Amino acid sequence: MPDPLDEYRQATEAAMRRALVTDDPALQPLYGMMRYHLGWCDASFAPLAAREGKRLRPTFCLLCCAGLGGDWRQATPYAAALELVHNFSLIHDDIEDGDPLRHHRPTVWAIWGLAQGINTGDAMWSLARLTLHDLRGVGYSADTVLDAVALLDRTSLALCEGQYLDIGFESRPSITLDEYEHMARGKTAALFAAAFQGGGLLAGASADVQRRLADLGLALGLAFQIADDLLGIWGDPAVTGKPAASDLASRKKTYPVAYTFAWEAERGLRDLEQLYRATDAPADVAAISRCLERAGAREHTQQATRRNHEAALSLLATLPLREPAASLLPTLIASLLGRDY
Amino acid sequence: MPDPLDEYRQATEAAMRRALVTDDPALQPLYGMMRYHLGWCDASFAPLAAREGKRLRPTFCLLCCAGLGGDWRQATPYAAALELVHNFSLIHDDIEDGDPLRHHRPTVWAIWGLAQGINTGDAMWSLARLTLHDLRGVGYSADTVLDAVALLDRTSLALCEGQYLDIGFESRPSITLDEYEHMARGKTAALFAAAFQGGGLLAGASADVQRRLADLGLALGLAFQIADDLLGIWGDPAVTGKPAASDLASRKKTYPVAYTFAWEAERGLRDLEQLYRATDAPADVAAISRCLERAGAREHTQQATRRNHEAALSLLATLPLREPAASLLPTLIASLLGRDY
């Protein structure tokens, strides 16, 4: 019997590949840059052996759709659109952060320049939205398709709002935990919420079930972002592919750092803030680490991951899910969050 | 009696202002940057006296809608979306071209940096699409709203495709007139086509009338871009607000330049190409001007504007338009294209 998750991934990948094609010879490099970002070809646009992307958001979406009695194959264009929106945001993030590498490969802007980089992200975003129109004529009412379009449009705005906050953090001396969560809800969790809710919407779920799916996605997205923050400081370089404590070296304002700011502020201390302010020299990673250790930031961050993970599982338990989604979702969620909490 | 064009502009402006609002205090500066770009506030987000924007695309859209018997007030969200898409593309263009000024004001990226600049454009694009959902529940069927969404989504992709070609022109020694037109159709004309066709769509026009409206918008958009190219070389600095021959100083590959490349190539000459290749020194504007003059580029470009203008007027004459659109459209088109052809 085929693994349903493999089926979902393959169907999503096929829908994405159908979207990223043009018959216009002059535009081939534009589509080539988009395919390059997705790992389908090298920088000369020669095809690469298929890289098995995780395609987390489409997988959650289609699993929810099937688990709630929908026909997941019909929902595939929406799943593909989610993944394309996610990847458009990565192309722009790489420019906004000045990152020359992603997954050990040069980023689009690093190869083709800033202007083509921005525009390639814009083109992928356009294609994401066009993909949604494939939901028409496969059995959904025009109202349902419009609801799916509106969901993705609201989510896109939330992504930009979260990204605005995240960029703003860089020029701030410190941030609060509330500010961190506000940012992470938009930047990361909103697209998870759109994956879960969209799966329910396209299975014909009630407004109440859709609301719980959205809350589940938000909790999982927050857990995912906080777990990722743990890895950025305490992750094994052999696993993460980044140097140890890389998020401290770059003075990124992640959850453990926001927690330590709060811990110190309660005690009238400003050690971490001073270390983060001294941007005229490389970050003193050892001293920053000692601040985080004194505050118990690692344990507190693990607790926050656990708390959001448990919130997601509690919401999951309230949903009328069929097999195999009912068994697969908790496993998939656990594997997504790793073991460090 | 109120001028209908003023009514259209005011209704569009009101819809745009309703879209660019958030009640979230932390996000005010994001919305402030968008309002700044639109000329509604200064860089500290203090409101400015209303600047009378031309809002060309919304005006054409609503005039077509009314002229074909539609209720233009219902179509206003679409008109606002057109203008927001246009302005999102300007925010990104300014970054891609490295322009620090637009209409004598610092550009968004020049004030708030590259990262916020890219993201502010993305946010405006999200809001443009969200605006379209206001078409629901004012009398349009869900299918018609989806058709309008699809039209704007296809147009957004065409914009990115045109922009890809335009960016690519910068690193090319020369371009052909066909390549120029391919670029201008996407970068400029597609959004005019979406304005005319969308006005017809929302008036309930037939597929055939919509096709003619799209062709009219394409012809007008090409005429507009080519007339703009004339101004960029031979325009009066007092009118354009740019130095004389500014497009030659920046070695921009506009219509007159593409025409001169072709004229020289037919005669085995490569003078202009060599002048455009010598990018290690400032452009020799006098020598470039002589090449254009020898080829008769100005007259030929004026002819191309006239040809596209006439094509637009011929298409307009086939449309079953009521007053006041029937009288106003030719006047508006003529005023848009100026007098230099």
Side-chain angles (χ1 to χ4, degrees):
Chain A
M1 216 183 84
D3 179 349
L5 301 192
D6 273 346
E7 279 196 304
Y8 300 160
R9 273 191 287 261
Q10 282 163 19
T12 304
E13 207 77 3
M16 290 165 67
R17 285 183 185 264
R18 278 194 301 275
L20 267 74
V21 167
T22 178
D23 53 13
D24 186 331
L27 298 173
Q28 294 304 329
L30 172 61
Y31 287 74
M33 290 187 283
M34 292 190 269
R35 288 197 300 268
Y36 169 86
H37 170 82
L38 291 165
W40 298 342
C41 65
D42 65 19
S44 356
F45 309 135
L48 289 176
R51 183 176 70 104
E52 183 63 11
K54 281 177 293 182
R55 310 301 184 215
L56 285 174
R57 295 154 191 84
T59 304
F60 281 122
C61 173
L62 297 178
L63 203 45
C64 283
C65 181
L68 290 162
D71 177 350
W72 68 266
R73 287 203 174 273
Q74 286 185 358
T76 309
Y78 181 84
L82 285 171
E83 189 66 23
L84 291 172
V85 167
H86 173 56
N87 277 283
F88 130 72
S89 77
L90 296 180
I91 294 176
H92 280 192
D93 274 14
D94 287 339
I95 302 172
E96 292 162 13
D97 297 342
D99 282 334
L101 291 175
R102 171 173 294 278
H103 298 315
H104 310 286
R105 304 169 81 216
T107 46
V108 170
W109 74 268
I111 299 179
W112 291 284
L114 176 72
Q116 292 292 16
I118 297 171
N119 190 60
T120 299
D122 290 343
M124 190 177 283
W125 201 7
S126 300
L127 287 168
R129 295 197 315 275
L130 281 169
T131 305
L132 289 183
H133 296 284
D134 293 341
L135 293 170
R136 286 176 93 171
V138 297
Y140 296 118
S141 72
D143 271 309
T144 300
V145 178
L146 265 180
D147 287 342
V149 171
L151 177 54
L152 205 72
D153 287 345
R154 285 196 306 274
T155 303
S156 297
L157 179 62
L159 274 175
C160 297
E161 291 180 342
Q163 181 68 357
Y164 158 74
L165 294 172
D166 201 28
I167 297 167
F169 286 176
E170 285 169 35
S171 50
R172 298 267 304 278
S174 86
I175 59 160
T176 68
L177 278 171
D178 279 350
E179 289 173 327
Y180 171 88
E181 189 172 317
H182 193 179
M183 176 281 293
R185 278 181 169 263
K187 182 163 172 150
T188 307
L191 202 54
F192 278 92
F196 281 86
Q197 184 180 348
L201 167 68
L202 296 173
S206 69
D208 173 57
V209 167
Q210 284 187 51
R211 214 163 12 241
R212 277 182 276 158
L213 286 163
D215 288 341
L216 160 53
L218 279 177
L220 177 60
L222 279 176
F224 176 66
Q225 184 58 60
I226 298 171
D228 199 57
D229 290 353
L230 274 167
L231 286 177
I233 297 177
W234 295 288
D236 178 354
V239 176
T240 63
K242 294 177 183 177
S246 63
D247 280 357
L248 299 185
S250 64
R251 292 191 182 83
K252 218 169 141 181
K253 296 197 182 71
T254 61
Y255 187 95
V257 171
Y259 170 76
T260 306
F261 284 138
W263 186 91
E264 291 194 352
E266 274 176 26
R267 286 153 187 83
L269 301 169
R270 294 181 62 191
D271 297 345
L272 183 62
E273 194 181 314
Q274 274 158 20
L275 287 162
Y276 262 59
R277 267 181 195 273
T279 50
D280 48 349
D284 184 345
V285 173
I288 294 172
S289 293
R290 282 194 298 275
C291 289
L292 268 61
E293 202 174 324
R294 179 175 64 180
R298 183 172 184 174
E299 296 69 30
H300 189 91
T301 305
Q302 289 167 327
Q303 280 167 27
T305 308
R306 199 154 53 235
R307 199 166 55 242
N308 282 293
H309 184 180
E310 283 162 6
L313 292 180
S314 299
L315 284 158
L316 191 62
T318 71
L319 295 168
L321 287 167
R322 306 181 184 180
E323 292 298 347
S327 315
L328 284 173
L329 273 167
T331 316
L332 191 61
I333 288 171
S335 74
L336 167 64
L337 297 177
R339 293 163 180 274
D340 184 25
Y341 64 97
Chain B
M1 216 183 81
D3 179 349
L5 301 192
D6 273 345
E7 280 197 302
Y8 300 160
R9 272 190 287 261
Q10 282 162 19
T12 304
E13 208 77 2
M16 289 166 68
R17 284 182 187 265
R18 277 194 301 276
L20 265 75
V21 166
T22 179
D23 54 12
D24 186 331
L27 298 173
Q28 295 304 329
L30 172 61
Y31 287 75
M33 290 187 282
M34 292 191 269
R35 288 197 299 267
Y36 169 86
H37 170 81
L38 291 165
W40 298 342
C41 65
D42 66 20
S44 353
F45 309 135
L48 289 176
R51 184 177 69 103
E52 182 64 9
K54 281 176 296 182
R55 310 301 184 217
L56 285 175
R57 295 153 190 83
T59 304
F60 281 123
C61 174
L62 297 179
L63 203 45
C64 282
C65 180
L68 290 161
D71 177 350
W72 68 267
R73 286 202 177 273
Q74 285 187 358
T76 308
Y78 182 85
L82 285 171
E83 189 66 23
L84 291 172
V85 166
H86 173 56
N87 278 282
F88 129 73
S89 78
L90 296 181
I91 294 175
H92 280 192
D93 273 15
D94 286 339
I95 302 172
E96 293 162 11
D97 297 343
D99 282 333
L101 291 175
R102 170 172 295 278
H103 298 314
H104 310 286
R105 304 170 80 216
T107 46
V108 170
W109 75 268
I111 298 179
W112 291 284
L114 177 72
Q116 292 293 17
I118 297 171
N119 190 61
T120 299
D122 290 344
M124 190 177 284
W125 203 6
S126 300
L127 287 168
R129 293 198 315 277
L130 281 170
T131 305
L132 289 183
H133 296 283
D134 293 340
L135 293 171
R136 285 176 95 171
V138 295
Y140 296 117
S141 72
D143 271 309
T144 299
V145 179
L146 265 179
D147 286 342
V149 171
L151 177 54
L152 205 72
D153 286 345
R154 285 195 306 274
T155 303
S156 297
L157 178 62
L159 274 176
C160 296
E161 292 180 341
Q163 182 67 356
Y164 158 75
L165 294 172
D166 201 28
I167 298 167
F169 286 177
E170 286 170 33
S171 50
R172 299 266 306 277
S174 86
I175 59 160
T176 67
L177 278 171
D178 280 350
E179 288 173 328
Y180 170 88
E181 189 172 316
H182 193 179
M183 176 281 292
R185 277 181 171 264
K187 182 163 173 151
T188 308
L191 202 53
F192 279 92
F196 281 85
Q197 184 180 348
L201 167 67
L202 296 172
S206 68
D208 173 57
V209 167
Q210 284 188 51
R211 216 166 7 246
R212 278 181 276 160
L213 286 163
D215 288 342
L216 160 53
L218 280 177
L220 177 60
L222 279 176
F224 176 65
Q225 184 58 60
I226 297 170
D228 199 57
D229 290 353
L230 275 167
L231 286 177
I233 298 177
W234 295 287
D236 178 354
V239 176
T240 64
K242 293 177 183 177
S246 63
D247 280 357
L248 298 185
S250 63
R251 292 190 182 82
K252 217 168 141 184
K253 296 196 181 73
T254 60
Y255 187 95
V257 171
Y259 170 75
T260 306
F261 284 138
W263 187 92
E264 291 194 353
E266 274 176 26
R267 286 154 186 82
L269 301 168
R270 294 182 60 192
D271 297 343
L272 182 62
E273 194 181 313
Q274 274 158 20
L275 287 162
Y276 261 58
R277 268 181 195 273
T279 49
D280 47 348
D284 183 345
V285 173
I288 294 173
S289 293
R290 283 194 298 274
C291 289
L292 267 60
E293 201 175 324
R294 179 174 65 180
R298 183 171 183 175
E299 296 69 31
H300 189 90
T301 305
Q302 289 167 327
Q303 279 166 28
T305 308
R306 199 154 52 233
R307 199 166 54 241
N308 281 293
H309 184 181
E310 283 163 6
L313 292 180
S314 299
L315 283 157
L316 190 61
T318 71
L319 294 168
L321 287 167
R322 306 180 185 182
E323 292 299 347
S327 315
L328 285 173
L329 273 167
T331 315
L332 191 61
I333 289 171
S335 74
L336 167 64
L337 297 177
R339 294 163 178 274
D340 184 27
Y341 63 97

